[in-house]
Every structure is written in C-alpha cells, then in structure tokens.
Amino acid sequence: MNLLPDFCKIKSVITEDSVVKYSLWLNPGHPIFKAHFPGHPITPGVCIVRMATELLSVHLGRKLELTLIKNVKFLVVIAPDEGGKDITFGFKKIEAQPDGTCRVQADVCDLEGGMVYCKMSLVLK
C-alpha cells in the first residue's frame, strides 16, 4: 500500500549539502488515523518507516523495498491536528552499496527541526 499521495503529500524538497529534506503534510481525514486510534489519532510507526521508503524511492527515481531496519527510535508521537500536520523527513546519509542496496539515515522532525519525532537507519533495495 502506497501512502503517497493520500496519507501524506510532498509539499517541498530541499537539498542542502548532503542532506535531503522532504516537507510533508499528513492528511488527518485518512482512514488510518480513524483506526489508529479513534478520538486520539497518531501516526503508526510502520507508516513512518513506509513514508521513508517511498520518499527515498522518489528521490532516487527507482522503486525501493525495505530489506532491513538497522535501528529505529520513535521519540515523540506524531498526531495530526484538525487541519493536518506538517513534518520533515531529513535524509542525512544515503549510501549506495555495490550489491545494489542503499543504506540511509533519516530523522523525522517538525518543520523547524526542533522537535525530533523519530530517528532511523534503514537498508533498502
């Protein structure tokens, strides 16, 4: 199941040095939020990891699948507001490997980067 563009939409992409930042808007009316959890919606961890996979696929211009979660830390709950939620995925380290895999380190933050919601290290192919 793809999360782009119904669950979340890309608002902007910024590349600074070796960091790629995707600004996203989370759709508070999406059925995932109605089920997780009714009356108190939060973004499921699996959706956060899936968004990283889809965004990296967009960035690299090829379909990627997650092969390994090396590390993931969910630090703060991402709850959509009534009008949605703006977040930033920052890919700090994207390393192509000789075997065709891609290793990436990412942070999920608020737009200003002051609140870190999640940190992850993934391997995709």
Side-chain angles (χ1 to χ4, degrees):
M1 174 178 149
N2 288 335
L3 298 177
L4 290 168
D6 297 327
F7 181 77
C8 59
K9 293 185 185 202
I10 298 172
K11 290 177 63 177
S12 65
V13 182
I14 299 170
T15 303
E16 301 170 344
D17 299 322
S18 61
V19 177
V20 178
K21 292 182 181 179
Y22 281 85
S23 173
L24 302 179
W25 174 78
L26 299 180
N27 176 5
H30 195 277
I32 288 174
F33 287 122
K34 290 181 172 103
H36 199 266
F37 295 98
H40 302 285
I42 64 170
T43 307
V46 68
C47 290
I48 296 168
V49 173
R50 180 65 193 174
M51 284 187 281
T53 301
E54 290 184 33
L55 292 170
L56 199 57
S57 291
V58 167
H59 178 69
L60 295 177
R62 63 183 173 110
K63 184 167 173 50
L64 295 170
E65 292 298 327
L66 181 66
T67 58
L68 177 67
I69 297 174
K70 291 184 75 176
N71 189 15
V72 65
K73 292 181 183 179
F74 300 105
L75 304 168
V76 178
V77 170
I78 302 173
D81 299 325
E82 286 184 20
K85 181 77 165 184
D86 292 324
I87 61 173
T88 300
F89 269 77
F91 295 103
K92 295 187 288 188
K93 201 179 222 184
I94 302 171
E95 299 174 341
Q97 302 298 306
D99 64 358
T101 61
C102 178
R103 296 175 187 242
V104 63
Q105 291 181 359
D107 291 341
V108 183
C109 305
D110 62 5
L111 288 182
E112 293 79 34
M115 173 72 69
V116 179
Y117 298 114
C118 177
K119 293 176 175 248
M120 64 183 91
S121 180
L122 310 172
V123 178
L124 305 108
K125 186 168 187 169

